[in-house]
Amino acid sequence: MTINIIRLPKNAFLNILKFSDIQSQLRLRQVSKSVQEFVDFSVLQLKKSIVKSFVCEEIFIAIKSPVQNAEIEAIQQILHSNHKKWRIEADTETGAMDIKVGMYAVKTKEDLGRNKRMITIKKIQH
Amino acid sequence: MVLITLVSSDEQNFPVERELLKQSGTIETLIVNMNLDDEDTDAAAMPIPLPNVKGDVLEKVIQWMEHHKGDPVKEGDNEDNNAEIVVPQWDDDFFKPAMYGSKHLELTVAASYLDIKNLLTLSCKAISNTFKGKTGPQIREEWGVPNEFTPEEEEAIRKENEWSE
């Protein structure tokens, strides 16, 4: 019996994703369609910052409110991996977020319901 | 020492020390359901069939459980400690010969089926470690995943991820 990595039980694959850093998760999306779909689906299951979709110059992150430390960390990782200066401050009690990112404009939408907010980070300079 | 016999899908018998089997949630449940811990029960006469695990994989699982006898169970789904999980040297040496092949994946599937949390956690961590610094196509090649993307789709997703490179 041959088992392809994409045939692993979902709980195992979810573990693998959780143990992988964000860059590895992104690269896994390039492995195959099945893996891409599973990664996109699975990150929605993770209770961390959710990287919903990536476009070259826009990053969309759905987060819970109040913001969790793990989510701040994940956003920091994303911005850090993009080799740009960033600074992020968040009040984990109230969910208030003051994001100052050198080359990025940050907008939040509060209308997603279920205590989720969408943060859009757009590159504004090149 | 009480021995309980596990029977693999290819009907190989493995007498295993009762104490070791506490690491497997699935086998522990079967032992309870079959009353194998009762004094009146002849446990040796009641083998436990494991139709989803082949003999060579079960042998590896038992070898792993013997080494980890008495270890506390670490939960792999605790978000806070994911980054801290380190694959110990013994386990790294244990996984390495079969890494990138179906054997390691079968071991991971068995760990999931047998509900051996520590084995599943370490096995998954070992797999995730192989992704570090690799591109999508490199991971695909190493793990033998068929490429389902058209060249256009592959280029589109590469562009999507370009910002992170």
Side-chain angles (χ1 to χ4, degrees), chain B residues 24-50:
Chain B
S24 164
T26 304
I27 296 175
E28 193 64 19
T29 302
L30 288 169
I31 287 173
V32 171
N33 290 345
M34 294 166 75
N35 299 319
L36 295 186
D37 281 337
D38 289 1
E39 285 183 5
D40 301 339
T41 307
D42 181 8
M46 298 178 70
I48 298 178
L50 299 171

Side-chain angles (χ1 to χ4, degrees), chain A residues 52-101:
Chain A
K52 192 175 180 187
S53 71
F54 299 90
V55 183
C56 194
E57 295 188 353
E58 292 184 4
I59 306 164
F60 301 100
I61 306 163
I63 63 165
K64 289 182 295 183
S65 181
V67 65
Q68 306 290 307
N69 281 328
E71 293 166 344
I72 298 168
E73 197 181 314
I75 295 169
Q76 285 174 337
Q77 278 185 45
I78 292 167
L79 298 173
H80 188 64
S81 67
N82 212 6
H83 306 298
K84 303 298 177 192
K85 288 183 179 175
W86 49 262
R87 187 160 74 90
I88 182 168
E89 294 171 355
D91 183 336
T92 54
E93 292 295 320
T94 64
M97 244 179 147
D98 174 19
I99 304 179
K100 293 169 185 172
V101 187

Side-chain angles (χ1 to χ4, degrees), chain B residues 35-69:
Chain B
N35 299 319
L36 295 186
D37 281 337
D38 289 1
E39 285 183 5
D40 301 339
T41 307
D42 181 8
M46 298 178 70
I48 298 178
L50 299 171
N52 292 344
V53 188
K54 284 197 307 183
D56 56 347
V57 178
L58 188 54
E59 190 177 0
K60 293 286 283 179
V61 170
I62 294 166
Q63 187 188 345
W64 186 91
M65 288 196 297
E66 281 169 348
H67 182 79
H68 287 276
K69 183 180 176 182

